Amino acid sequence: MSNLLVTGGAGFIGSNFVHYWREHHPRDVVVVLDKLTYAGNLDNLASVNGESGFHFVHGDICDERLVLGLLREHSINTIVNFAAESHVDRSISGPDEFVQTNVIGTHALLKAARAVWLESDPPVHAHRFHQISTDEVFGSLGDSDPPVAETARYAPSSPYAASKAAADHLVSAYHRTYGLQTTISNCSNNFGPFHFPEKLIPLVIVNLLHGRAVPLYGDGRNVRDWLFVTDHCRGIERILQHGKSGSYYNIGGNNEWTNLDLVRKLCQLMDDAFAGDPLLCPRFPASPAAAGGTCASLISFVRDRPGHDFRYALDFSKCAAELDYSPRESIGVALSRTIQWYLDNEQWWRRLIDADYQAWVEQQYGAATRLASR
Ligand code: NAD
Ligand code: DAU
């Protein structure tokens, strides 16, 4: 049995992981520590909040004393660190918060883990610090480059990717220098339920429903490898259970798409959804699909993201060979399920794009938090 501290567990992937873990390991204790920034949302945890074996703590991973207290109070033996500023565009307009949370925050967690697990009497021998990292630390690939393995050089492009790379190096240093038992996973672009509608897929879904332009950066030819979030959670589970301390593991989706093709696919799926459900027309009358048009008419090419990485692709053969990991979800089915989740959970995303909420977020976190679609 494990007692887990899941940092950033009210965000997109963190909350999916909490649901996954509660379903597959119901006897474990799960403590979520989350600052509830604009991206953190207690609604994501509504179905588990209040259950026995689950605790939510509102706080900052940079607060080392708070983390020390939680590790001791809940006899935590596993930390899974999802907490981060995660949006590349925001890191370009305001990098400070990324360095603070992603670098200083990860270091605060490492210091607390070292104090409680290695320096207490007796030490906690069976422990694990798992860092959630990203394929972005490897930098941009060309069209014909092979997918990158765990041994590839870190070459981050954006302030976001650089802050994640710095955090990974700290985790690795705590393993080598102090003997902290660590693992790091680098994964590709996730999608699925609870995805904040500033990121490409949920932004496209919400914009198509409102008849708003779908902004494609540059020529739309950039390539991302898409991974359904449940596959990612299963990969993390395998690493926590069977991964070797001190190791890095790539978790890829084997699903490379240009942004343009992905958006066209979403448009097609949305047209199909309207054709199959007459109730969608009165609910979303501004969508072109409601008037018999095609959602693809909303695609519009806009100024490129500065430093925009052309392509990411991960070689995850190590994870496959050592941990028997492979993604299970087919992209078509997973995208349809994701669209359906957004159709079924309008209240969830409606609040996030609401003008009052946006004004509150902007006041708390600054103008860089404005949703790109507005
Ligand atoms: P997200 O932005 O949806 O969620 C981040 C969560 O962290 C939020 O709940 C937020 O409130 C919380 N948080 C932020 N600062 C905090 C702090 N100082 N203390 C405590 N909590 C804080 O992010 P996500 O997309 O779920 O990503 C989760 C992790 O996975 C991140 O580390 C990200 O770098 C990594 N990752 C994400 C993807 C992806 O496709 N989304 C891919 C690869 C790696
Ligand atoms: O690759 C893993 C990374 O995936 C994670 O580490 C990040 O936390 C996560 O945000 C995501 O980063 P991306 O920059 O790849 O995701 P985003 O959804 O912002 O963009 C996906 C692609 O779509 C990218 O090439 C930029 C492009 N894009 C994005 C937006 C928001 C557009 O063309 N238009 C848009 O409006």
Side-chain angles (χ1 to χ4, degrees), residues 11-13 34-35 37 40 60-61 82 86 101 160 164 187 190:
F12 162 47
I13 309 177
D34 199 296
K35 188 177 170 186
T37 68
D60 192 329
I61 58 167
F82 292 95
S86 68
T101 285
Y160 161 71
K164 293 295 290 181
C187 73
N190 284 224

Side-chain angles (χ1 to χ4, degrees), residues 27-64:
R27 282 154 42 83
D28 285 359
V29 170
V30 174
V31 180
V32 166
L33 171 62
D34 199 296
K35 188 177 170 186
L36 295 181
T37 68
Y38 78 94
N41 187 347
L42 265 182
D43 292 350
N44 299 3
L45 298 171
S47 63
V48 291
N49 219 349
E51 285 185 1
S52 92
F54 177 82
H55 307 271
F56 177 80
V57 180
H58 182 197
D60 192 329
I61 58 167
C62 299
D63 185 345
E64 197 183 330

Side-chain angles (χ1 to χ4, degrees), residues 7-14 33-41 59-62 81-87 97 101-102 105 132-135 160 164 186-191 194-196 198-199 226 232:
T7 62
F12 162 47
I13 309 177
L33 171 62
D34 199 296
K35 188 177 170 186
L36 295 181
T37 68
Y38 78 94
N41 187 347
D60 192 329
I61 58 167
C62 299
N81 181 26
F82 292 95
E85 289 296 331
S86 68
H87 192 37
E97 204 57 40
T101 285
N102 301 3
I132 306 295
S133 187
T134 166
D135 56 6
Y160 161 71
K164 293 295 290 181
N186 299 80
C187 73
S188 54
N189 282 63
N190 284 224
F191 68 101
F194 303 123
H195 205 179
F196 193 84
E198 65 182 353
K199 308 281 169 59
W226 292 96
H232 183 198

Side-chain angles (χ1 to χ4, degrees), residues 11-12 31 77 107 118 163 165 236 256 260 317 346 355 360 363:
F12 162 47
V31 180
N77 55 17
H107 190 227
L118 301 180
S163 68
I236 299 168
E256 287 188 53
L260 180 58
S317 52
E346 184 180 346
W360 173 82
Q363 192 196 3

